[in-house]
């Protein structure tokens, strides 16, 4: 049975391996990575899927500003072990992360991803028309979800990172991440 649980520091190496398997080295070149780089995920919003003691899925949400003074969360990356794709684990992780973000009082989630896949969770490009990513990005893949009514309505500007810096919060975690990479 697959367990969805909070990410643990001991998951870091297996998580990085899973992300390498799913996305390869190109994952470090994405605009979304610039917003996550050197930061910690939002508190309580780093989830791991585990099967028989093995990390088989991951999703994290990160603090960002969706234009001036509009807090939001950036979702990603979402990854599922290739041997388990098509069995609903990605959807389970998505619903768990959305539900957790809503329960923690967050107002909106944004992401870069496949619009038809993420539409089933309520994400839409319509909310993102006034917003941009730092650096090059594909407009059709830039999606948002209001967790609170109107949270992204009229938002404009460039997404910027606003979460806790990893070095300030936990220097040993940063060292472990560098070693895993």
């Amino acid at each position: 049975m697959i367990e969805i649980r909070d990410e643990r520091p001991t998951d870091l190496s297996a998580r990085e391996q899973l992300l390498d398997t799913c996305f390869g080295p190109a994952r470090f070149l994405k605009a979304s990575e610039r917003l996550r780089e050197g930061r910690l995920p939002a508190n309580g919003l780093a989830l791991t899927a585990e099967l028989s003691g093995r990390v088989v899925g991951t999703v994290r949400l990160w603090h960002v500003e969706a234009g001036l003074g509009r807090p939001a969360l950036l979702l990603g990356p979402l990854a599922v072990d290739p041997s388990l794709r098509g069995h609903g684990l990605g959807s389970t992780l998505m619903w768990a992360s959305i539900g957790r973000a809503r329960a923690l009082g967050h107002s909106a989630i944004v992401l870069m991803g496949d619009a038809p896949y993420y539409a089933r969770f309520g994400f839409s490009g319509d909310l993102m028309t006034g917003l941009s990513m730092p650096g090059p990005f594909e407009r059709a893949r830039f999606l948002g979800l209001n967790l609170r009514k109107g949270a992204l309505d009229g938002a404009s500007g460039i997404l910027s990172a606003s979460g806790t810096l990893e070095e300030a919060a936990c220097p040993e975690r940063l060292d472990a991440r560098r070693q895993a990479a």
Side-chain angles (χ1 to χ4, degrees), residues 76-112:
L78 168 67
V80 171
D81 186 292
S83 68
L84 295 172
R85 287 194 187 137
H87 296 285
L89 181 54
S91 291
T92 300
L93 283 165
M94 281 300 299
W95 287 121
S97 63
I98 292 168
R100 176 94 54 102
R102 186 174 277 126
L104 290 171
H106 293 283
S107 58
I109 300 173
V110 299
L111 61 82
M112 290 295 296

Side-chain angles (χ1 to χ4, degrees), residues 3-176:
E3 175 189 7
I4 307 296
R5 59 168 174 75
D6 288 324
E7 182 180 286
R8 300 177 189 141
T10 56
D11 296 333
L12 187 60
S13 179
R15 180 184 180 280
E16 290 299 315
Q17 267 187 306
L18 177 62
L19 293 174
D20 286 345
T21 298
C22 292
F23 303 111
R27 72 185 171 103
F28 295 107
L29 303 175
K30 297 180 179 185
S32 296
E33 185 63 23
R34 301 293 72 79
L35 295 169
R36 297 187 289 258
E37 200 168 53
R39 303 219 176 242
L40 292 174
N43 194 29
L45 292 170
L47 303 177
T48 295
E50 182 180 307
L51 175 64
S52 302
R54 188 169 62 97
V55 172
V56 295
T58 181
V59 65
R60 287 177 165 182
L61 291 103
W62 310 78
H63 289 287
V64 293
E65 292 285 325
L68 189 58
R70 287 202 193 229
L73 296 167
L74 174 68
L75 187 141
L78 168 67
V80 171
D81 186 292
S83 68
L84 295 172
R85 287 194 187 137
H87 296 285
L89 181 54
S91 291
T92 300
L93 283 165
M94 281 300 299
W95 287 121
S97 63
I98 292 168
R100 176 94 54 102
R102 186 174 277 126
L104 290 171
H106 293 283
S107 58
I109 300 173
V110 299
L111 61 82
M112 290 295 296
D114 182 56
Y117 178 81
Y118 289 103
R120 72 180 88 179
F121 307 106
F123 285 86
S124 168
D126 295 343
L127 295 172
M128 308 306 286
T129 56
L131 292 167
S132 295
M133 290 288 286
F137 71 100
E138 295 176 59
R139 171 67 56 193
R141 297 175 55 80
F142 194 33
L143 310 171
L145 171 69
N146 284 331
L147 298 177
R148 213 176 320 176
K149 187 175 171 82
L152 290 172
D153 293 358
S156 64
I158 299 173
L159 242 59
S160 61
S162 62
T164 304
L165 289 170
E166 195 168 22
E167 295 161 336
C170 192
E172 65 278 0
R173 185 175 172 145
L174 181 59
D175 289 340

